[in-house]
Amino acid sequence: MPYKHIFFDLDDTLWDFHANARNSLHVAFDRLGLERYFADFEEFFRIYMKRNNELWDLYGEGTITKDFLQAERFRHPLRLAGVPQPDELAAHLGRTYLELLPTRTLLVPHAREVLDYLRPRYTLSIISNGFVEVQYRKIRNSGIADYFAHVVLSEEAGALKPDRRIFEHALALHDARPDEALMVGDLYQADVAGAQNAGIDQAYFNWRNIPPKPGEHATYTIHALRELMGIL
């Protein structure tokens, strides 16, 4: 297929969200003295990540707000740890985390190599559900801003992946047809099913080796980002 445009998810597709978030949370954990409430950072991180992933799924479904997500993901582990009136500490933790997170610059293995390979051949853009106040800073601080013609964020587009409207917005920015684009992302529901909703081919970056559920399929499935260079 003669693609002209490659759309990338950002978090855990190009920018190593898991590693960068873990590092940022560890610094915040130490800075705020949370060892008072948890056996160690690992206990806190395990509780936080489970609830954070649940909340992002709900946010993608449109059933909770951004403000609730940002507050609840920190309130939840503090509440479980028995912190009295956890709202103030949760808010402080959230602010500290969001200050630290976009300063972290670790990319997924081979991300820059793949971007260098693709940039002369295709127009590259990002489609992300991440929050405006951190996504642009992540991209800029990681030194990858110049690779992308457009950064399409759900808050600005008025629709969250997997809603087809965010993909249609990206196509319109490129004056492109669906068959001219390929979406690359690590989340099946948001990135693969979302692109399918808009008639766009997909490269499912299944680096976690998640077994497919019945009926799930993608145009391509890759387990390392470098595999894109064999497809494109």
Side-chain angles (χ1 to χ4, degrees), residues 4-5 7 150 168-178 180:
K4 297 181 180 178
H5 312 286
F7 299 154
H150 299 284
E168 290 170 346
H169 179 71
L171 290 171
L173 289 174
H174 294 79
D175 192 23
R177 301 189 311 269
E180 294 176 323

Side-chain angles (χ1 to χ4, degrees), residues 41-221:
F41 171 73
E42 296 301 328
E43 180 189 32
F44 165 79
F45 187 68
R46 183 172 60 254
I47 297 168
Y48 167 84
M49 285 301 297
K50 182 176 185 297
R51 186 58 175 151
N52 185 60
N53 291 339
E54 293 168 350
L55 290 166
W56 272 102
D57 287 344
L58 294 172
Y59 181 66
E61 294 167 3
T63 56
I64 62 170
T65 65
K66 168 187 173 180
D67 288 344
F68 181 81
L69 186 159
Q70 289 184 312
E72 175 63 15
R73 61 183 175 179
F74 295 111
R75 265 200 312 257
H76 176 74
L78 296 177
R79 197 163 51 231
L80 284 185
V83 176
Q85 299 179 327
D87 286 16
E88 184 176 350
L89 181 56
H92 191 184
L93 178 56
R95 287 192 300 271
T96 303
Y97 172 68
L98 289 179
E99 288 168 6
L100 292 166
L101 184 67
T103 68
R104 273 45 189 172
T105 59
L106 187 63
L107 299 177
V108 169
H110 307 294
R112 197 177 299 276
E113 175 187 358
V114 170
L115 293 173
D116 283 335
Y117 172 81
L118 295 177
R119 178 165 53 177
R121 298 165 172 84
Y122 305 92
T123 301
L124 310 181
S125 292
I126 284 173
I127 303 178
S128 171
N129 283 352
F131 300 138
V132 169
E133 62 265 32
V134 294
Q135 297 303 77
Y136 286 117
R137 292 172 61 203
K138 289 177 187 175
I139 294 164
R140 183 174 62 251
N141 290 338
S142 299
I144 58 174
D146 291 345
Y147 288 100
F148 303 106
H150 299 284
V151 175
V152 179
L153 301 182
S154 56
E155 288 182 276
E156 297 175 327
L160 287 154
K161 295 181 294 184
D163 192 316
R164 65 182 297 161
R165 290 175 296 170
I166 191 171
F167 297 95
E168 290 170 346
H169 179 71
L171 290 171
L173 289 174
H174 294 79
D175 192 23
R177 301 189 311 269
D179 64 347
E180 294 176 323
L182 177 72
M183 177 69 199
V184 183
D186 70 299
L187 294 179
Y188 185 88
Q189 188 59 35
D191 300 314
V192 177
Q196 290 170 347
N197 289 340
I200 296 170
D201 282 359
Q202 327 88 43
Y204 177 29
F205 180 26
N206 187 13
W207 61 269
R208 301 175 186 86
N209 295 309
I210 299 171
K213 296 177 182 176
E216 288 187 349
H217 65 280
T219 313
Y220 312 99
T221 297

